[in-house]
Amino acid sequence: MGICDGRVVVVTGAGGGLGAAHAKVLAAEGASVIVNDINREAAQRVVDAIVAGGGKAVVNTSDITNYGDSENVVKQAIATFAGLHAVVNNAGINRDRMFASMTEADWDAIMAVHLKGHFCISSHAVHYWRDEAKAGRAVDARIINTTSGAGLQGSIGQSNYAAAKAGIAALTLNQAAELGRYGITANAIAPAARTGMTTAVESMATRMAKPDDGSFDYWAPENVSSLVAWLAASASAAVTGRVFEAEGGKISIADGWRSTAGVDKGDRWQPAEVGAAVKQLLEQEVPAQKVYGT
């Protein structure tokens, strides 16, 4: 018996890296998994591994950036496994450049895959769940988004990626606030793990290499997948609107923007007076975490 027995889960970008790990761990916990990836061969390898281990999974190659095509993921889940309980938005790419060198194409590609990609399948899933709720059928559904430390605190050379991931964090808060009435929770994860995107950077590949001595593999993507499996399970029904950070054996909650007590004059500030007010605010603030790379 696994914590996801009877659950049907879509995982995007599941042909490798974190997505493949999520799919395999979810299946091992009893979920029926739709393995979505534009690379059919990669997705099929993940499905084959799941089936060989006694799990249930099917391949889906829909384009998550295409609103019409992404509906086919939801349709396939319902047609194959008679329902849908969770969407794990994982797919992502990198187009890293310093802001001064970034092109419009660099920006648009990241926004399409990350931000729009998080919208498309989730939108169709929500329509299905809302209809179920309105028909009087019980809904116990999950949206699990993927943000990043880059989106939470910024990252040098990744302004497009950081902006998209910050947008995903804000999207998660809105989804949680709006969709609870239908039995849907929304949470996000900010993972730190060994993936195709991290190992493409030589220094990171070296730092995140799997240990040869059989000790705890700190950067293994499966470390993050345990959190994803729990969030997809019925047991997490009371948790929504949270951003979880997962790295190695550590799970933490990322605290969001908060308003400080502020400085209130009780009247309009004259432009020349603002500097003193800002100085006082800065002296009282709790400093934010530093931008990655600074």
Side-chain angles (χ1 to χ4, degrees), residues 161-195:
Y161 180 80
K165 289 302 191 183
I168 289 167
L171 172 65
T172 303
L173 301 182
N174 265 61
Q175 288 172 327
E178 295 178 10
L179 302 177
R181 72 189 73 179
Y182 304 119
I184 305 165
T185 69
N187 293 284
I189 61 167
R194 185 174 55 249
T195 71

Side-chain angles (χ1 to χ4, degrees), residues 260-276:
T260 63
V263 179
D264 187 357
K265 179 183 176 182
D267 198 354
R268 177 193 167 200
W269 291 95
Q270 294 301 313
E273 297 175 319
V274 171

Side-chain angles (χ1 to χ4, degrees), residues 108-150:
D108 288 348
I110 292 296
M111 294 302 155
V113 175
H114 289 275
L115 201 49
K116 186 179 180 182
H118 270 61
F119 165 75
C120 289
I121 292 177
S122 295
S123 173
H124 294 300
V126 166
H127 294 164
Y128 165 68
W129 292 325
R130 182 182 60 182
D131 289 346
E132 290 288 287
K134 287 184 174 181
R137 290 184 282 271
V139 174
D140 184 26
R142 309 283 182 269
I143 297 173
I144 303 167
N145 295 326
T146 304
T147 183
S148 166

Side-chain angles (χ1 to χ4, degrees), residues 218-238:
Y218 186 90
W219 299 109
E222 292 78 12
N223 299 334
V224 178
S225 302
S226 294
L227 171 61
V228 170
W230 184 82
L231 288 171
S234 291
S236 67

Side-chain angles (χ1 to χ4, degrees), residues 285-289:
E285 73 163 347
V286 177
Q289 292 175 244

